[in-house]
Amino acid sequence: MMRSKVLSLVARAGSNRTMSTATKLTTVEVNDKTGIATLTMNRPPVNGLNLELLQDLKSSIDEVEGNKSRGLILTSSSSTIFSAGLDILEMYKPDKDRIRAFWTQLQDTWLALYGSSVPTAAAINGHSPAGGCLLATSCEYRVMVPNFTIGLNETQLGIVAPKWFMASFLSVLPQREAERALNQGRMFTTEEALKVGLIDETANSKEEAIEKCVAFIGTFAKVNPLARSLTKQQFRAADLQQLQNERKEDLDKFLFFVNQPAVQKGLGIYLEGLKKKAKKQ
Amino acid sequence: MMRSKVLSLVARAGSNRTMSTATKLTTVEVNDKTGIATLTMNRPPVNGLNLELLQDLKSSIDEVEGNKSRGLILTSSSSTIFSAGLDILEMYKPDKDRIRAFWTQLQDTWLALYGSSVPTAAAINGHSPAGGCLLATSCEYRVMVPNFTIGLNETQLGIVAPKWFMASFLSVLPQREAERALNQGRMFTTEEALKVGLIDETANSKEEAIEKCVAFIGTFAKVNPLARSLTKQQFRAADLQQLQNERKEDLDKFLFFVNQPAVQKGLGIYLEGLKKKAKKQ
Amino acid sequence: MMRSKVLSLVARAGSNRTMSTATKLTTVEVNDKTGIATLTMNRPPVNGLNLELLQDLKSSIDEVEGNKSRGLILTSSSSTIFSAGLDILEMYKPDKDRIRAFWTQLQDTWLALYGSSVPTAAAINGHSPAGGCLLATSCEYRVMVPNFTIGLNETQLGIVAPKWFMASFLSVLPQREAERALNQGRMFTTEEALKVGLIDETANSKEEAIEKCVAFIGTFAKVNPLARSLTKQQFRAADLQQLQNERKEDLDKFLFFVNQPAVQKGLGIYLEGLKKKAKKQ
């Protein structure tokens, strides 16, 4: 898929739509010493997952796959938000072609991250609802800074997390915990997330979170990289295959749902709320 | 399926077969304040799941689905038994047509409860073996009064819990715990059930159990009901679909098994035991 | 399948290839009092799973199935190794026909053990890597002596545990723990294995381990054996069916992988290492 270079509407939570150039929204830095790549999402203010950020994420994951990195650490340039999830502006009064490209890109980006051949870890240095939680649970390890929240809160927003969001969630949580949290749209505090197993460790700062991710990736030092990646991909094959088999149905289901008047109305009210909240501040 | 209005044989544990009118065996009360429906099984003495109770349960679940209740709490009118499970008189020397209707109704009732669009919780105010445990684990939440037992004890009775009993059990317990308990036909005390996750909370009385179920259903207060029900049904889709796809095979398997001379003999001995036990008392 | 009676090359870890007659490599002893069979692997020095040991294991499992034993306890005649896993000499510079027979026998032996109708328990009285861990996790219960290790460490050896190894592992561990351990090729100490649930109990000696296995099998005393075995087999049906359906693909995948020059090279280096280690001692 061609990398979009055109101007695009970017949602800024708590503000109006503003024009912004679609410059690169992610950065990849490979540590010379460890050989580990840090992939930073950098779409202020909340790393809303719009088409362009998803494209950049996919390109960066591909880059890390290609540059022989020993691992990938996903983090955010924001000090309070890991990622706020799907950009609601992509779904509200959507353009027909763009929303298809958006969802297809989300599928591609997830397939690349969840199925990545390199060890992956998330340094969760801010809130991580919905699509943010999807990205975090698609990694193999999660380290989170305190006083933030994480969860698949789609039902709170009146939408339904697709099956593959559920698959990522279930790769981490027991079925009973996963179902209840999904139904409730529950956001877990860092401490609650640790207790239930949604994250693996806590860290007092982004730096410490990255250090702990480096240590996790270090546990693969003596492991044959090819055997490791084939093992991971075989373990995740059923989840990956299910989306591969149902890509079109999944897209159609999303389009049908998002175009329901009630859903559009809900998204409109939600965006109004964000605007008012912003004016008060 | 037509609601049976005819007289039927009702099994009373610890007594002889007695004639009883098939009056309504369940009641539904909707709390005006909370909007939550309490569905009470009322087939003395042990809520044995015969054709008529299963029909009434299904009708009551449908009623709750239809009346815009905010949730469903399943409980028992007995002070010692939640439900003793499948009525063995339905399986012992069965009438050909009736046993088919019985099993088909059990399938229908489970599909309705496990797939219910409203939040469901069980206030387990008594023993809950076999089919009683199936009903409890088909709900989303379980609160149980102490000094009772719960479990899928089919192997202790010489029968095999069907795949969908296992699916309900696995929606609650880890695979390792679920398999062992199924093979052993293990009955868990309230305390053991809490420890292993088979129930979520304990309560000192039926009233407190219902209160805690109300509190659980209250966690969905801010959740969009449509998104919630679609989320739940998608999460449970594979389990529901499996029975939908295999209804006939499942019925045939049950009929074949139950008609084995060894199984009939075992059920006969079990019923004799109940009669003797009753005479002693 | 015909029992091989021919001379065969036997791998002795830490030594050279030596010729050995393929006498019976397993023994089965049925305790008159308990009716429980103890199946002992006896292929010194490390119970390397070669074609003949796998054949003998399968024959012994069949024998236990046939002789009305109340249960099967799998253990080792060695005081330090339960089983070192697949015999690498079967995979290094393999004979075309023999390696096919070897892998096919491994499939058969697993299908027989994982799907066994009698209660199964492993008395793990020594290290249990890779194929050794497969055997242990194919049983229903595990008791392990301290100061040993257990795990699927295939990635450490540059190979990939097949899907059905993963299925056995997942029947015991939560998905999150299972995936991480598989990717890392992690070996758990007895204490770590207990904590994570990979084993069920520890015991201070082989005798105590067997006693605890006997106690576990005793929990089925009041359970109908036919109902129990049908329950277990139904619970494990999806895992068993998957290999049944994919036997040829599974064999082809293994043959393709093992014949890769890089894999052959890795196995050669590993065997050289064992020889050098042996000379030093």
Side-chain angles (χ1 to χ4, degrees):
Chain A
M1 184 172 291
M2 261 188 25
R3 193 73 171 278
S4 168
K5 296 288 179 195
V6 297
L7 289 178
S8 69
L9 291 171
V10 175
R12 291 175 190 271
S15 95
N16 296 325
R17 289 188 185 198
T18 60
M19 300 300 278
S20 157
T21 52
T23 53
K24 197 150 170 59
L25 301 173
T26 56
T27 57
V28 173
E29 290 179 284
V30 181
N31 184 305
D32 284 345
K33 208 172 121 195
T34 63
I36 295 171
T38 300
L39 196 176
T40 303
M41 294 180 278
N42 182 27
R43 184 177 174 240
V46 298
N47 285 328
L49 298 167
N50 72 344
L51 175 58
E52 285 74 21
L53 177 50
L54 289 169
Q55 286 171 331
D56 281 5
L57 267 169
K58 172 67 165 62
S59 297
S60 293
I61 294 165
D62 290 349
E63 185 186 329
V64 173
E65 292 275 346
N67 72 6
K68 312 261 176 196
S69 293
R70 279 191 42 224
L72 183 162
I73 297 170
L74 184 63
T75 193
S76 162
S77 65
S78 161
S79 60
T80 54
I81 309 275
F82 179 73
S83 163
L86 303 186
D87 188 335
I88 286 172
L89 292 181
E90 293 284 15
M91 296 184 272
Y92 185 59
K93 297 185 181 171
D95 172 76
K96 260 191 176 183
D97 290 334
R98 183 170 169 102
I99 194 168
R100 295 181 78 90
F102 163 71
W103 194 258
T104 302
Q105 184 60 55
L106 179 62
Q107 294 176 335
D108 279 329
T109 302
W110 179 77
L111 288 168
L113 182 60
Y114 192 70
S116 168
S117 71
V118 301
T120 52
I124 309 165
N125 58 326
H127 295 295
S128 192
C133 179
L134 174 70
L135 294 178
T137 54
S138 298
C139 295
E140 298 166 44
Y141 203 74
R142 282 149 294 284
V143 184
M144 188 166 167
V145 175
N147 302 319
F148 296 120
T149 57
I150 184 170
L152 290 177
N153 63 334
E154 277 77 357
T155 60
Q156 299 262 4
L157 310 174
I159 56 179
V160 177
K163 270 192 217 173
W164 37 292
F165 283 53
M166 291 186 179
S168 300
F169 210 48
L170 274 168
S171 76
V172 173
L173 289 183
Q175 192 166 331
R176 172 168 158 259
E177 302 286 353
E179 184 184 21
R180 196 162 303 153
L182 277 162
N183 288 345
Q184 292 171 330
R186 179 174 173 189
M187 291 299 292
F188 296 80
T189 65
T190 303
E191 292 70 27
E192 290 167 343
L194 181 67
K195 200 176 164 193
V196 80
L198 183 50
I199 62 165
D200 299 291
E201 288 193 78
T202 61
N204 289 316
S205 65
K206 179 181 176 177
E207 289 66 38
E208 194 187 328
I210 288 177
E211 271 169 40
K212 288 186 171 182
C213 289
V214 168
F216 167 71
I217 293 169
T219 64
F220 299 109
K222 292 183 193 167
V223 173
N224 179 296
L226 177 62
R228 204 206 88 93
S229 77
L230 293 174
T231 297
K232 174 181 173 182
Q233 285 161 348
Q234 182 176 269
F235 196 91
R236 299 187 167 200
D239 291 340
L240 293 164
Q241 201 56 56
Q242 180 156 44
L243 179 56
Q244 294 281 19
N245 293 345
E246 299 178 0
R247 286 190 74 146
K248 201 188 163 309
E249 295 90 316
D250 180 66
L251 172 61
D252 291 343
K253 206 170 169 181
F254 168 70
L255 294 176
F256 176 82
F257 191 77
V258 91
N259 285 312
Q260 294 300 304
V263 173
Q264 282 297 313
K265 197 180 155 192
L267 295 174
I269 291 167
Y270 184 76
L271 286 169
E272 271 312 306
L274 288 182
K275 278 189 201 171
K276 280 179 190 160
K277 216 169 154 188
K279 279 181 188 163
K280 278 184 194 162
Q281 287 174 341
Chain B
M1 185 174 293
M2 261 187 24
R3 193 71 169 281
S4 167
K5 295 287 179 197
V6 297
L7 289 179
S8 69
L9 291 172
V10 175
R12 290 175 191 271
S15 96
N16 297 323
R17 291 187 182 198
T18 60
M19 301 300 277
S20 158
T21 52
T23 53
K24 198 152 168 56
L25 302 173
T26 57
T27 57
V28 173
E29 291 178 284
V30 181
N31 185 305
D32 284 347
K33 208 173 124 196
T34 63
I36 295 171
T38 299
L39 195 177
T40 303
M41 294 181 277
N42 181 27
R43 182 176 175 241
V46 298
N47 286 326
L49 298 167
N50 70 344
L51 175 58
E52 286 73 23
L53 177 50
L54 289 169
Q55 286 172 331
D56 281 5
L57 267 169
K58 171 68 165 61
S59 297
S60 293
I61 295 164
D62 289 349
E63 185 186 328
V64 173
E65 293 276 346
N67 73 7
K68 312 258 176 201
S69 293
R70 280 190 42 225
L72 182 161
I73 297 170
L74 183 63
T75 193
S76 162
S77 65
S78 160
S79 60
T80 54
I81 309 274
F82 179 71
S83 163
L86 302 187
D87 188 336
I88 285 172
L89 291 181
E90 294 284 13
M91 296 185 272
Y92 185 59
K93 296 185 181 172
D95 172 78
K96 262 190 174 184
D97 289 337
R98 183 167 170 105
I99 195 168
R100 295 181 78 91
F102 163 71
W103 193 258
T104 302
Q105 185 59 56
L106 179 63
Q107 294 175 335
D108 279 330
T109 302
W110 179 77
L111 289 168
L113 182 60
Y114 192 70
S116 167
S117 72
V118 302
T120 52
I124 308 166
N125 58 326
H127 295 296
S128 192
C133 179
L134 174 72
L135 294 177
T137 54
S138 298
C139 295
E140 297 166 46
Y141 203 74
R142 280 151 294 285
V143 185
M144 187 165 169
V145 175
N147 303 318
F148 296 121
T149 57
I150 184 169
L152 290 177
N153 63 335
E154 276 77 357
T155 59
Q156 299 262 4
L157 310 174
I159 54 179
V160 178
K163 272 193 216 171
W164 37 293
F165 283 53
M166 292 186 180
S168 301
F169 210 49
L170 273 167
S171 76
V172 173
L173 289 184
Q175 192 167 331
R176 172 169 158 261
E177 301 287 353
E179 185 185 20
R180 196 161 304 155
L182 277 162
N183 288 345
Q184 293 173 329
R186 178 174 173 188
M187 292 299 293
F188 296 80
T189 64
T190 303
E191 294 68 28
E192 290 167 344
L194 181 67
K195 200 177 165 193
V196 78
L198 183 50
I199 63 165
D200 298 291
E201 288 193 78
T202 61
N204 290 314
S205 65
K206 179 180 177 175
E207 290 64 39
E208 194 187 328
I210 288 176
E211 273 169 38
K212 288 187 171 182
C213 289
V214 169
F216 167 71
I217 293 169
T219 64
F220 299 108
K222 293 181 192 169
V223 173
N224 179 296
L226 178 63
R228 203 205 89 92
S229 78
L230 292 174
T231 297
K232 174 182 173 181
Q233 285 161 348
Q234 183 176 267
F235 195 91
R236 299 188 168 200
D239 291 340
L240 293 163
Q241 201 56 54
Q242 179 157 44
L243 179 57
Q244 294 280 19
N245 293 345
E246 299 179 358
R247 285 190 74 147
K248 202 189 161 310
E249 294 92 315
D250 180 68
L251 172 61
D252 290 343
K253 206 170 169 180
F254 168 71
L255 294 176
F256 176 81
F257 191 77
V258 91
N259 284 312
Q260 295 299 305
V263 172
Q264 282 298 311
K265 196 180 155 191
L267 295 174
I269 291 167
Y270 184 76
L271 285 169
E272 272 312 305
L274 288 181
K275 277 188 201 172
K276 281 182 190 160
K277 216 169 155 188
K279 280 182 188 164
K280 279 186 194 162
Q281 287 173 342
Chain C
M1 184 172 293
M2 260 187 24
R3 195 71 169 280
S4 168
K5 295 287 180 198
V6 297
L7 289 178
S8 68
L9 291 172
V10 175
R12 291 174 191 270
S15 96
N16 297 323
R17 289 188 184 198
T18 60
M19 299 302 276
S20 158
T21 52
T23 53
K24 199 151 170 59
L25 301 173
T26 56
T27 56
V28 173
E29 291 178 283
V30 181
N31 184 305
D32 284 346
K33 208 174 123 193
T34 63
I36 295 171
T38 300
L39 197 177
T40 303
M41 294 181 276
N42 181 28
R43 184 177 173 239
V46 298
N47 285 327
L49 298 167
N50 71 343
L51 175 58
E52 286 73 23
L53 176 51
L54 289 169
Q55 285 171 332
D56 281 5
L57 268 169
K58 171 68 164 61
S59 296
S60 293
I61 295 164
D62 289 349
E63 185 186 329
V64 173
E65 293 276 346
N67 72 7
K68 310 263 179 197
S69 292
R70 281 190 43 225
L72 183 162
I73 298 170
L74 184 63
T75 193
S76 163
S77 64
S78 160
S79 60
T80 54
I81 309 275
F82 179 71
S83 163
L86 303 187
D87 188 335
I88 286 172
L89 291 182
E90 294 283 14
M91 298 185 271
Y92 185 59
K93 298 187 181 170
D95 171 76
K96 260 192 175 184
D97 290 335
R98 184 170 169 103
I99 195 169
R100 296 181 78 90
F102 164 71
W103 194 258
T104 302
Q105 184 60 56
L106 179 63
Q107 294 175 336
D108 279 330
T109 302
W110 179 77
L111 289 168
L113 182 60
Y114 192 70
S116 167
S117 72
V118 301
T120 52
I124 308 166
N125 57 327
H127 295 297
S128 192
C133 179
L134 173 71
L135 294 178
T137 54
S138 298
C139 295
E140 297 167 44
Y141 204 73
R142 279 150 295 285
V143 184
M144 188 166 168
V145 175
N147 302 319
F148 296 120
T149 57
I150 185 170
L152 291 176
N153 63 334
E154 276 77 356
T155 60
Q156 299 262 5
L157 310 176
I159 55 179
V160 178
K163 271 193 216 172
W164 37 293
F165 282 53
M166 293 186 180
S168 300
F169 210 49
L170 273 167
S171 76
V172 173
L173 290 183
Q175 192 166 331
R176 172 170 160 261
E177 301 285 354
E179 185 184 21
R180 196 162 304 153
L182 277 162
N183 288 346
Q184 292 172 329
R186 179 173 173 190
M187 291 300 293
F188 296 81
T189 63
T190 304
E191 294 68 29
E192 291 167 344
L194 181 67
K195 201 177 166 193
V196 80
L198 182 51
I199 61 165
D200 299 290
E201 288 193 79
T202 60
N204 289 315
S205 64
K206 179 180 177 178
E207 290 63 40
E208 194 187 328
I210 288 177
E211 272 169 39
K212 288 186 172 183
C213 289
V214 168
F216 167 70
I217 293 169
T219 63
F220 299 109
K222 292 182 192 168
V223 172
N224 179 296
L226 178 63
R228 204 205 88 93
S229 77
L230 293 173
T231 297
K232 174 181 172 181
Q233 285 160 349
Q234 182 177 267
F235 196 92
R236 299 188 166 198
D239 292 339
L240 293 164
Q241 200 56 55
Q242 180 156 43
L243 178 58
Q244 294 280 19
N245 293 345
E246 299 178 359
R247 285 189 73 146
K248 202 189 162 311
E249 295 91 317
D250 180 66
L251 172 61
D252 290 344
K253 208 171 170 180
F254 167 71
L255 293 176
F256 176 80
F257 190 77
V258 90
N259 284 312
Q260 294 300 304
V263 172
Q264 282 298 312
K265 196 180 156 192
L267 294 175
I269 291 167
Y270 184 75
L271 285 170
E272 272 310 307
L274 288 183
K275 278 190 203 172
K276 282 181 191 159
K277 217 171 157 186
K279 280 183 190 164
K280 278 185 195 162
Q281 288 174 342

